[in-house]
Amino acid sequence: MKICVTAQGVDLDAPLDPRFGRCQYFVIVDTETLQYEAIKNPNIDAMGGAGIQSGQIMADRQVKAVVTGNVGPNAFQTLNAAGISVITGASGNVRQVIEQYKKGEFKPTQGPTAMAHGK
């Protein structure tokens, strides 16, 4: 299964980035093999719509879950509509978050955990 962890760097030892729409990198990890791909977030400096555009990247990459610190309402709605589980409140580095995910230590978030950008 492919999941995305928002990160401040490009590998499994990178610290989690607590933002979704404006995180520095999306690290997409296969939870079975730990093979991963790091994508520099093209929406980090977007004037608006970063959450929606970032959510679309996740849908295009066919990830099943996003693990982050917080997610705004537009990103949550976009991810939810694509059938992608959203998990917030995570911390540590990407590798630690993947291990916690595999152990079932996270529960999907039921709604946004951050205000819309600029609010």
Side-chain angles (χ1 to χ4, degrees):
M1 173 192 303
K2 288 197 303 189
I3 71 169
C4 173
V5 180
T6 57
Q8 296 176 29
V10 297
D11 60 28
L12 299 180
D13 295 317
L16 179 124
D17 191 319
R19 304 162 296 176
F20 172 68
R22 296 176 190 281
C23 68
Q24 293 179 44
Y25 294 92
F26 301 112
V27 179
I28 298 174
V29 182
D30 182 316
T31 57
E32 305 300 315
T33 65
L34 290 186
Q35 289 184 308
Y36 66 93
E37 170 188 18
I39 302 168
K40 184 165 179 55
N41 184 354
N43 307 308
I44 195 166
D45 293 321
M47 293 299 289
I52 295 169
Q53 293 172 44
S54 295
Q56 190 58 53
I57 292 170
M58 298 303 102
D60 292 347
R61 298 286 176 153
Q62 300 178 324
V63 302
K64 299 298 180 200
V66 167
V67 185
T68 189
N70 287 292
V71 67
N74 295 335
F76 182 83
Q77 185 175 7
T78 301
L79 292 165
N80 201 35
I84 299 170
S85 295
V86 180
I87 297 161
T88 58
S91 61
N93 68 32
V94 175
R95 188 183 312 272
Q96 292 165 329
V97 168
I98 297 297
E99 289 305 312
Q100 289 176 294
Y101 181 87
K102 287 169 63 173
K103 291 178 185 172
E105 294 179 14
F106 293 124
K107 299 282 183 262
T109 302
Q110 300 302 312
T113 58
M115 299 288 287
H117 187 71
K119 301 277 187 225

